[in-house]
Every structure is written in structure tokens, then in C-alpha cells.
Amino acid sequence: MSRDPRELAGAWTRFQRHEFPAPAPDLAPFVAKYWIVEWGYASPYRQLIVPYPHVHLTVQDGGVPEVHGVSSGHVVRVLDGVGRVFGVEFRPGGFRPFLGSPVSALTDRTVPAADVPGLPAAGPARPVDVAAVEEWLRAARPEPDPTALRVADVVATVVTEPGIRRVDDLAERCGTSVRRLQRLFAEYVGVGPKWVIRRYRLREATERMARGGVADWAGLAAELGYADQAHFTRDFAAMFGEPPTHYAARY
């Protein structure tokens, strides 16, 4: 995939404006944050989006609310002209109580919010802002789900403990079995624990590049838990849209 050359010219900050409001306390068990993006482009801009284990709900001006399941790899959104989108980023596991069924059914899919039985069909009031979205979510707010909170804590463990490189490591750290973790992640997150671990270890790779580059790619792959450099390169390209050497050279 060809990356948009305007990325390195600062298109993210020059032509877009971002806000990240926090949710109200009563919705915080389900919602990680809200995000608002406004843009203005004279010609179409290809925005590459690198996934995390979060379900998103979006409302674009003039559009209908949509639910986006976790993407297993990077996706590209084309931004053209002037536009605005309001997004809800659910905590890992936080959308399962609304959906009422396994979140894996949404993986790599986008569906109208009206098709989700646990959400009000009418959509939030206009204009779409934090108050309108929270009123809409409260109309559907399910009972707290202790398992959803537990899953969010497990994902947080992956984020904060870089020594976790394998599902076996995570299962031992959490005092459960590999099979139990796999079932929980399919039900509540939408991707497996192996995917989540790899995602955050790859983030460490980009952070290391940002601190001054990487000379030994094979050594980095081994340090992040990969059997060889080829597997690391394949996973990196699937997530970021290009091999790590290209990524490092461009940035």
C-alpha cells in the first residue's frame, strides 16, 4: 500500500483538529474515551489507522451511527473536503455488555448501530456532542459486568508489563489457563490474547525507533518474543502498512 506523502509533512496536525473528552464516571466502566476529529483537505487524504483492541462507535456529520469492531490489521480511511466525526472508544471488553453476544462477531466489520439490539435505534440527538452521546448511551446502559472489568484489567497487564510475550506468560500472570483466556478474549475483546500481546510489543518497537533507531532487527525481533525476523516483519507490515525498515527510514 502506498502511504500518503503528506504524512511526513505534518498533515495530521496541519489539516486536522483533535479532542479527547473523558467519559462521565457512570459510563467509565464501559468507555475509555471520546474522540472528535475535524478535518479540511483540498484533495483526498489517505489516513492510515493502526488498530488497538477497542470497539468504536462513530457518528459522522450527516451520517448514521456505526459500530466498528476491532480490526485485525491496519485500515485506511479517505478524508476529503471538510468533515467532522465523533467517536466513542470502548474499553477492551466494554462493548460486550451492550452487544449481549460475542464481540468476535464484529471483528473486521462495520455495522449500523441500529443493527445492535442493545443500542437505541434512533441515534444520539443533533448536534452530536458529548452530552448527546452520553444521554444516548445511558438509555441503553447495561448492568455492570464484572467479567468485562476483569478483561480490561488483563489487557492493561499486557500494556504495562513488556515481559509478557506469549499467551502462556499472560495466563500464568493472571492465574488462569490459556484456553480460558482465549475464550474470554473471543467473547469480550474480539481478537485473541496472542494478537493483543503482539500489538503492544510492536508498539514498543516503534517507540524504540523513535528514541534513536534500531540497528539489530533480528535482535529486536527476538527480544519482543518472535521466533525470527521474518515473522516480526510480517506482523509489523500487517499492522502498520509497511515493513519496519521502511517505517524507520521514513520517520
Side-chain angles (χ1 to χ4, degrees):
M1 183 206 71
S2 175
R3 299 290 292 266
D4 196 305
R6 286 171 290 180
E7 282 187 36
L8 295 183
W12 177 261
T13 55
R14 290 177 60 199
F15 302 104
Q16 299 182 30
R17 187 174 72 85
H18 305 86
E19 297 178 41
F20 301 98
D26 63 313
L27 290 169
F30 309 103
V31 176
K33 66 173 180 283
Y34 305 113
W35 51 270
I36 304 166
V37 180
E38 298 177 351
W39 65 85
Y41 288 101
S43 59
Y45 176 72
R46 298 189 305 277
Q47 176 77 62
L48 183 138
I49 301 171
V50 178
Y52 281 96
H54 300 273
V55 172
H56 289 257
L57 185 147
T58 63
V59 188
Q60 189 165 333
D61 283 358
V64 298
E66 294 182 324
V67 174
H68 307 265
V70 177
S71 296
S72 57
H74 69 274
V75 296
V76 175
R77 309 286 185 201
V78 177
L79 307 181
D80 193 13
V82 176
R84 177 183 182 274
V85 62
F86 187 106
V88 181
E89 179 181 293
F90 290 89
R91 299 182 71 198
F95 193 68
R96 171 62 176 79
F98 289 92
L99 186 63
S101 58
V103 179
S104 56
L106 294 174
T107 301
D108 290 320
R109 295 180 60 211
T110 295
V111 301
D115 290 352
V116 177
L119 294 175
R126 307 287 174 150
V128 180
D129 56 16
V130 171
V133 168
E134 292 202 324
E135 181 179 1
W136 183 64
L137 288 175
R138 286 190 180 104
R141 186 179 62 200
E143 291 297 318
D145 184 339
T147 303
L149 299 176
R150 166 69 172 157
V151 169
D153 288 342
V154 173
V155 174
T157 298
V158 175
V159 177
T160 58
E161 299 189 19
I164 294 175
R165 302 171 185 170
R166 296 163 44 87
V167 180
D168 290 351
D169 299 333
L170 182 59
E172 181 178 358
R173 173 66 177 78
C174 297
T176 188
S177 68
V178 168
R179 182 61 182 152
R180 172 65 175 158
L181 276 183
Q182 290 169 336
R183 288 198 300 265
L184 278 175
F185 275 60
E187 183 80 16
Y188 280 82
V189 183
V191 288
K194 180 179 178 180
W195 187 98
V196 174
I197 292 169
R198 290 286 172 88
R199 175 64 192 96
Y200 285 103
R201 300 300 81 87
L202 288 173
R203 186 178 74 173
E204 292 169 27
T206 61
E207 291 172 347
R208 192 167 306 186
M209 293 178 204
R211 292 196 296 267
V214 177
D216 180 7
W217 292 105
L220 175 62
E223 187 176 339
L224 296 178
Y226 283 89
D228 54 47
Q229 184 178 342
H231 283 87
F232 166 67
T233 298
R234 181 191 63 201
D235 277 7
F236 192 99
M239 200 67 65
F240 292 94
E242 59 188 339
T245 50
H246 293 183
Y247 183 101
R250 291 198 317 114
Y251 285 101

